[in-house]
Amino acid sequence: MKKSISVLLSLVLIINIFAVFSATEIIDVQAADYAAELRSKGFPESYIDSLVALQKKYPNWIFEPLNTNLDFQTAVNGERKNHSQQLIQKASGTSTSMYCSCSKCKKNGNYVIQEASNWVSASEKAVKYYMDPRNFLDEEGIFQFESTAYDGTQTKAGVESILKGTWMYNTEISYYNTSGKYVTLKSKIKYSDSIMSSARESGMSAYYLASKIRQENGGSKASATAVKGTASPFQGIFNYYNIGANSGAYDGLAWAAGYLRTSKAATLYSSYNSSTGKVGGTKTSLKSGQNMTWMANCGKYYRVRLYAEIGGKYVAGRTGYILKSDLRTTYTGTGGSGWGRPWYSPHLSIKYGARYIAQNYKTQFTGYLQKFNVNPDSDTLYSHEYMANVAAAASESKTTYNAYKSAGILGITKTFSIPVFKNMPNDNTSSGSNSGSSSSSSEKRNTLPCITGLKATGSDTQRIYLTWNKISGVSGYYIDIMKNGKYVRYGSTTSNKFTVSGLNSFQEYTFRVKAYKKMSGTTYYGKYWKGITYGTRAARVSKFRSTGSNNGAIYLAWNKNARATGYKVFKYNPTSKKYVLYKDIKGAKNTTLKVSGLKNNTKYLFKIYAYYKGNNGTYNGYCSNAISASTKLNMVTMNSVTSKSKKRITVKWNKAWYSCTGYQVMWSTTKNFSSNYLSVYVKGHNSLSTTLKTAQSGRNYYVRTRVYTQKNNKKTYGSWSAVKTVKVK
């Protein structure tokens, strides 16, 4: 008995040792396989170990090389062509080797201050450190290589986690306006709301915008020049992203104010009468080119504050009122170069600043590229860079990492575009090396069964859910997605279910899956199951609304979904208590509908969703919330409109067939009643005529009438009758 127990324990021990050994061996083989894949993509050897470690921890992360085709030292020299383009904060704990000590950047033993009170030029060593992507291939530094494009998985909670520790955290937007009054936005939105809506509108990543704002102007208090709202002469002007702050925050405020200036000799008035729209008081003559900042709109005038640039500083002058037509307004408004300026509230700055970044940094689609413009597709190599701070991209990356971590979404699919240079320090592998084939001689292909039953079980706006039949004894499965006519590896899983994320809405995708098994340094593969195609859904149609109605019809409208094949509109049936299809509208651009044949003075409910017809089926978007709209009371018909005496019109109409309070009659000298019109209310259901007085004789007048009911001092109207014309005696 003892001998049997001993043998059993020995077997258990051997099995456990073998199990540990096999698991470790499999992990090593998986790492080797992924390393080969990275090499085949074009990553140099010095990138491999770090990326393999990241992929092991975050298997859904995708790494793509951005081949700059630039010699690394040449790129560093290009970035340092102007030393003031690369700045670093002079602070305790920072090695002096990170500060540039050339004759222009260090004089009389002191480093030349380039910006604020403690920003100096970065040394070549510092620029090399922050330009070398290999120094940041860890889970905190990698996010400077993530796309700045909008990501629907990002949340308000994630934005709040970025803002935590600043005055913006969980706070409604309040600020000093141009008159020095502390106000709160009427909509009472929080900073996180502003950032989320600006991200959706601009197509920028919400986390990127929040990180950018925190990097540029974050702090426990709103004390930074660009956001405090009290910086003279730009009181009430804000620039949360420091756009245009080439040599300091005041430059950025001048940019955000819109560079108002006189385009000719003009006059500044000290007072304005809002009742009459006229100016007065003290007059100040201004020359062409006088700078000023906007304070308020006052009819055809602006209220402004004059300023001048003296010795590199902005000096405030008088305030007053000036004709808009006397000013250069090229850089204000929402036109091509206006960007919504002047930015007289934090929300405007956040909203239009996001649009500006999205439009002007298309090829600089990561935080790294906005700091170091080395994208070969850019027309402004080594310039047009968002920030001078050499460490900005690395710093923002850590902020983004913390946001993802706090939101619990670090592991979702993300794509990182990591720059690769030629002749990088301590790297003998060229950026285009294919050393290490993606399939080694130890791999045994097509010796496992082919999977069966691959299908999509559903989708949402950015995800497609795949499943297939399990194969016993395999290590896992590889999932490929087709891009540009070729399959590329998307991910792997040990389960027979997989979620493909980060997709476009209303688009079909094709997938294939194969099994693999890794044993004793050898990888065994199954054949691919034939590719399947499935599509994503779309979000709810936006701004579904009623644009008007008459006595028998309701007019609906909604915003276009450019990827839609069409839209389906549903009308609620109170008998069946269900929404029934009313109209299938073909074409993405067709965004209006007249719902006719309705009862007068009746409330109706509608819903809508967009749909997309792909090669493999039709995909419905999410249905909108119900909207309600009501038809108007029946139209009244006029019997006659005559003029039998001077400056008099006699109007007669048919009696409304339902009970009402009375009738409204309107007359005008303009056919569309846009001006010169009067109206009278004729009380009583049975009152069917009235005589109108006109101001003129011998000219045409236009007349129309409609029914009304009044309850609790509120009038409800029917639709207008047809218009009749009469020439008054």
Side-chain angles (χ1 to χ4, degrees):
M1 182 67 179
K2 291 181 179 180
K3 185 176 181 180
S4 299
I5 294 173
S6 177
V7 171
L8 182 59
L9 289 174
S10 298
L11 287 173
V12 171
L13 180 60
I14 291 169
I15 291 169
N16 285 339
I17 292 172
F18 180 75
V20 171
F21 175 77
S22 298
T24 304
E25 187 178 52
I26 288 173
I27 291 172
D28 289 342
V29 172
Q30 288 175 329
D33 187 58
Y34 188 68
E37 182 179 328
L38 292 172
R39 293 187 187 98
S40 70
K41 286 184 174 183
F43 279 110
E45 198 64 36
S46 54
Y47 286 63
I48 302 299
D49 288 347
S50 297
L51 295 181
V52 167
L54 283 173
Q55 199 273 340
K56 188 182 295 183
K57 188 170 184 179
Y58 302 106
N60 290 326
W61 286 8
I62 301 170
F63 306 110
E64 299 292 344
L66 175 65
N67 196 344
T68 66
N69 293 316
L70 297 172
D71 176 84
F72 184 71
Q73 185 62 53
T74 301
V76 171
N77 295 343
E79 290 290 343
R80 296 191 74 237
K81 186 175 182 179
N82 185 345
H83 287 195
S84 62
Q85 183 177 322
Q86 305 297 337
L87 303 184
I88 190 167
Q89 193 170 27
K90 191 172 180 290
S92 60
T94 303
S95 170
T96 56
S97 65
M98 304 296 273
Y99 310 144
C100 182
S101 57
C102 75
S103 59
K104 292 183 178 180
C105 298
K106 188 176 183 181
K107 297 180 179 180
N108 300 321
N110 296 314
Y111 294 100
V112 176
I113 301 300
Q114 301 285 2
E115 189 175 306
S117 61
N118 59 348
W119 287 86
V120 300
S121 294
S123 67
E124 180 177 348
K125 176 182 177 180
V127 175
K128 280 185 174 180
Y129 175 78
Y130 286 105
M131 279 191 72
D132 192 337
R134 298 169 301 180
N135 293 323
F136 304 98
L137 299 183
D138 56 41
E139 59 186 325
E140 292 187 359
I142 195 72
F143 288 97
Q144 63 186 288
F145 310 116
E146 186 188 17
S147 171
T148 57
Y150 176 70
D151 184 345
T153 66
Q154 295 176 345
T155 63
K156 179 179 175 181
V159 171
E160 288 288 5
S161 70
I162 294 176
L163 300 180
K164 194 169 185 178
T166 74
W167 88 94
M168 297 173 282
Y169 174 64
N170 199 29
T171 301
E172 291 180 355
I173 296 180
S174 299
Y175 59 97
Y176 289 99
N177 65 16
T178 56
S179 298
K181 183 180 179 182
Y182 196 70
V183 297
T184 300
L185 283 180
K186 292 181 180 179
S187 54
K188 292 187 177 181
I189 65 172
K190 294 182 178 180
Y191 283 95
S192 54
D193 295 317
S194 178
I195 291 170
M196 288 297 294
S197 65
S198 299
R200 287 189 292 269
E201 291 176 11
S202 65
M204 295 294 292
S205 159
Y207 292 172
Y208 165 80
L209 295 179
S211 298
K212 176 66 68 178
I213 291 171
R214 177 167 184 149
Q215 174 70 27
E216 294 290 335
N217 288 297
S220 59
K221 296 181 180 179
S223 57
T225 301
V227 297
K228 63 183 180 181
T230 57
S232 177
F234 304 108
Q235 291 93 328
I237 300 296
F238 301 87
N239 193 339
Y240 273 61
Y241 305 101
N242 271 346
I243 297 171
N246 300 318
S247 61
Y250 280 91
D251 285 353
L253 288 176
W255 190 96
Y259 297 131
L260 280 180
R261 66 177 58 168
T262 51
S263 56
K264 56 186 175 181
T267 303
L268 182 76
Y269 299 88
S270 63
S271 63
Y272 173 80
N273 188 319
S274 59
S275 298
T276 63
K278 294 183 178 181
V279 290
T282 303
K283 298 180 182 180
T284 303
S285 296
L286 304 179
K287 295 180 180 180
S288 178
Q290 170 63 54
N291 294 321
M292 60 194 70
T293 182
W294 178 93
M295 295 180 69
N297 290 329
C298 302
K300 59 183 179 179
Y301 295 88
Y302 284 141
R303 186 178 180 219
V304 297
R305 179 181 292 106
L306 306 182
Y307 70 84
E309 294 183 58
I310 302 174
K313 295 185 178 181
Y314 293 87
V315 180
R318 296 182 179 181
T319 61
Y321 303 86
I322 189 169
L323 276 170
K324 297 176 182 178
S325 58
D326 287 344
L327 301 179
R328 180 190 73 173
T329 56
T330 307
Y331 303 107
T332 60
T334 55
S337 56
W339 300 110
R341 292 177 284 179
W343 293 346
Y344 54 85
S345 79
H347 178 62
L348 286 178
S349 172
I350 294 170
K351 173 182 177 179
Y352 286 104
R355 293 184 184 181
Y356 177 87
I357 297 170
Q359 181 64 30
N360 287 277
Y361 292 88
K362 289 181 178 178
T363 60
Q364 293 162 264
F365 55 87
T366 67
Y368 178 96
L369 292 175
Q370 288 188 7
K371 175 64 206 99
F372 303 112
N373 188 5
V374 294
N375 188 338
D377 294 332
S378 174
D379 295 328
T380 54
L381 208 62
Y382 311 135
S383 62
H384 189 256
E385 294 175 348
Y386 192 92
M387 50 280 202
N389 178 4
V390 73
S395 177
E396 290 172 10
S397 177
K398 188 171 183 179
T399 303
T400 304
Y401 162 79
N402 289 330
Y404 280 130
K405 185 177 181 180
S406 177
I409 54 176
L410 263 177
I412 66 174
T413 299
K414 299 176 179 67
T415 300
F416 303 92
S417 295
I418 307 170
V420 172
F421 299 87
K422 297 176 182 178
N423 303 316
M424 299 185 74
N426 303 316
D427 186 2
N428 296 320
T429 306
S430 74
S431 61
S433 171
N434 278 323
S435 61
S437 172
S438 60
S439 58
S440 69
S441 59
S442 63
E443 292 178 349
K444 304 283 187 179
R445 295 184 177 276
N446 303 330
T447 58
L448 295 178
C450 178
I451 68 161
T452 59
L454 175 61
K455 62 182 179 180
T457 58
S459 64
D460 60 24
T461 58
Q462 293 183 315
R463 301 174 182 84
I464 293 177
Y465 306 99
L466 303 177
T467 186
W468 54 88
N469 296 331
K470 287 184 178 179
I471 298 177
S472 62
V474 301
S475 301
Y477 307 88
Y478 285 129
I479 299 90
D480 293 353
I481 185 171
M482 184 168 288
K483 288 186 178 180
N484 300 320
K486 296 182 180 180
Y487 279 108
V488 297
R489 179 65 45 79
Y490 180 87
S492 63
T493 181
T494 57
S495 169
N496 67 323
K497 297 179 181 179
F498 191 80
T499 299
V500 185
S501 306
L503 306 177
N504 295 325
S505 64
F506 266 7
Q507 184 172 330
E508 281 188 326
Y509 293 87
T510 300
F511 308 95
R512 66 181 185 180
V513 177
K514 70 177 178 180
Y516 70 89
K517 184 174 183 178
K518 296 184 177 182
M519 292 180 60
S520 303
T522 300
T523 303
Y524 299 88
Y525 289 99
K527 291 182 179 180
Y528 280 107
W529 175 264
K530 62 182 180 180
I532 66 158
T533 301
Y534 200 77
T536 51
R537 302 178 68 180
R540 290 183 176 89
V541 172
S542 63
K543 295 189 177 179
F544 183 42
R545 61 199 183 276
S546 170
T547 58
S549 66
N550 57 34
N551 60 309
I554 290 172
Y555 298 87
L556 304 176
W558 55 91
N559 285 2
K560 179 179 73 173
N561 182 320
R563 303 184 71 90
T565 301
Y567 310 90
K568 290 187 178 181
V569 178
F570 297 81
K571 184 163 71 73
Y572 184 73
N573 185 323
T575 302
S576 65
K577 296 184 179 180
K578 294 181 179 179
Y579 282 88
V580 179
L581 178 65
Y582 176 81
K583 188 75 173 180
D584 183 348
I585 301 167
K586 305 294 194 299
K589 296 181 179 180
N590 297 321
T591 58
T592 59
L593 175 65
K594 178 183 178 181
V595 184
S596 55
L598 306 178
K599 295 180 181 179
N600 79 91
N601 201 28
T602 303
K603 180 180 178 180
Y604 292 87
L605 298 173
F606 302 94
K607 290 184 178 182
I608 189 174
Y609 66 70
Y611 67 88
Y612 166 72
K613 283 190 175 181
N615 296 322
N616 201 50
T618 299
Y619 308 96
N620 297 329
Y622 288 99
C623 195
S624 71
N625 294 324
I627 64 166
S628 64
S630 299
T631 52
K632 295 182 178 179
L633 301 176
N634 267 343
M635 186 171 64
V636 176
T637 303
M638 288 190 294
N639 282 335
S640 63
V641 178
T642 58
S643 178
K644 296 181 180 180
S645 58
K646 191 174 182 180
K647 295 184 179 181
R648 295 291 187 274
I649 300 173
T650 300
V651 185
K652 296 181 180 180
W653 55 87
N654 291 332
K655 180 180 178 181
W657 61 270
Y658 49 83
S659 177
C660 65
T661 304
Y663 307 87
Q664 182 189 17
V665 183
M666 182 177 288
W667 65 105
S668 174
T669 57
T670 56
K671 191 172 184 179
N672 61 1
F673 296 83
S674 60
S675 61
N676 299 328
Y677 62 85
L678 294 171
S679 72
V680 64
Y681 289 93
V682 180
K683 193 171 183 179
H685 184 202
N686 297 317
S687 301
L688 304 179
S689 66
T690 189
T691 298
L692 311 175
K693 296 180 181 180
T694 67
Q696 302 177 54
S697 294
R699 70 171 301 172
N700 287 336
Y701 274 81
Y702 303 92
V703 185
R704 63 183 182 181
T705 186
R706 64 180 176 179
V707 70
Y708 78 93
T709 58
Q710 184 168 336
K711 187 176 181 180
N712 297 328
N713 294 321
K714 182 179 180 180
K715 290 184 175 71
T716 303
Y717 297 94
S719 53
W720 287 107
S721 69
V723 177
K724 285 186 176 290
T725 309
V726 61
K727 188 170 184 178
V728 177
K729 289 188 174 182

